[in-house]
Amino acid sequence: QVQLVESGGGLVQPGGSLRLSCAASTNIFSIYTMGWYRQAPGKQREKVASITSRSTTNYADSVKDRFTISRDNAKNTVYLQMNSLKPEDTAVYYCNAIFSSSFWGQGTQVTVSS
């Protein structure tokens, strides 16, 4: 069982930035593919970005060139740097870890509004 704890969400104005963090409770963090997903009210959960154990990254088209996913295996943490935020980025953001099983965090709210 892997516990994931997200942090860093909040209220930000359009054009602003936030950095989300997700800390994992596992000694084998480096083997997991880590991902960030989001779910806006009334919408399905969607994948935002992912990073493999070899640090290969993948992004949704809607966030390319604005968001950056990274990982620090020494700290068992994955990050999501979000720049040039738009109101449509408003959602609950969830961290995911997957190897043989999939684990989810509780989510952190990101609200982009003036």
Side-chain angles (χ1 to χ4, degrees):
Q1 189 77 8
V2 176
Q3 291 187 326
L4 303 172
V5 179
E6 302 101 333
S7 61
L11 173 65
V12 64
Q13 293 186 340
S17 298
L18 282 175
R19 188 176 83 152
L20 305 182
S21 300
C22 171
S25 65
T26 174
N27 292 327
I28 53 172
F29 174 79
S30 63
I31 71 172
Y32 283 89
T33 290
M34 301 299 297
W36 286 98
Y37 291 70
R38 67 186 181 186
Q39 188 167 18
K43 295 187 176 181
Q44 290 188 333
R45 189 173 297 190
E46 64 174 352
K47 184 177 179 180
V48 175
S50 63
I51 184 166
T52 70
S53 59
R54 296 186 177 185
S55 293
T56 299
T57 58
N58 182 266
Y59 297 92
D61 287 342
S62 59
V63 306
K64 277 180 182 177
D65 300 323
R66 298 190 298 123
F67 291 10
T68 302
I69 189 171
S70 61
R71 66 191 299 159
D72 185 338
N73 291 337
K75 295 182 178 180
N76 291 354
T77 300
V78 63
Y79 304 97
L80 186 68
Q81 178 66 43
M82 306 186 293
N83 299 327
S84 303
L85 282 160
K86 305 175 180 180
E88 51 263 43
D89 295 318
T90 296
V92 178
Y93 284 70
Y94 297 90
C95 179
N96 174 259
I98 187 166
F99 183 60
S100 57
S101 299
S102 181
F103 302 95
W104 293 91
Q106 292 299 306
T108 185
Q109 176 70 47
V110 172
T111 302
V112 185
S113 175
S114 55

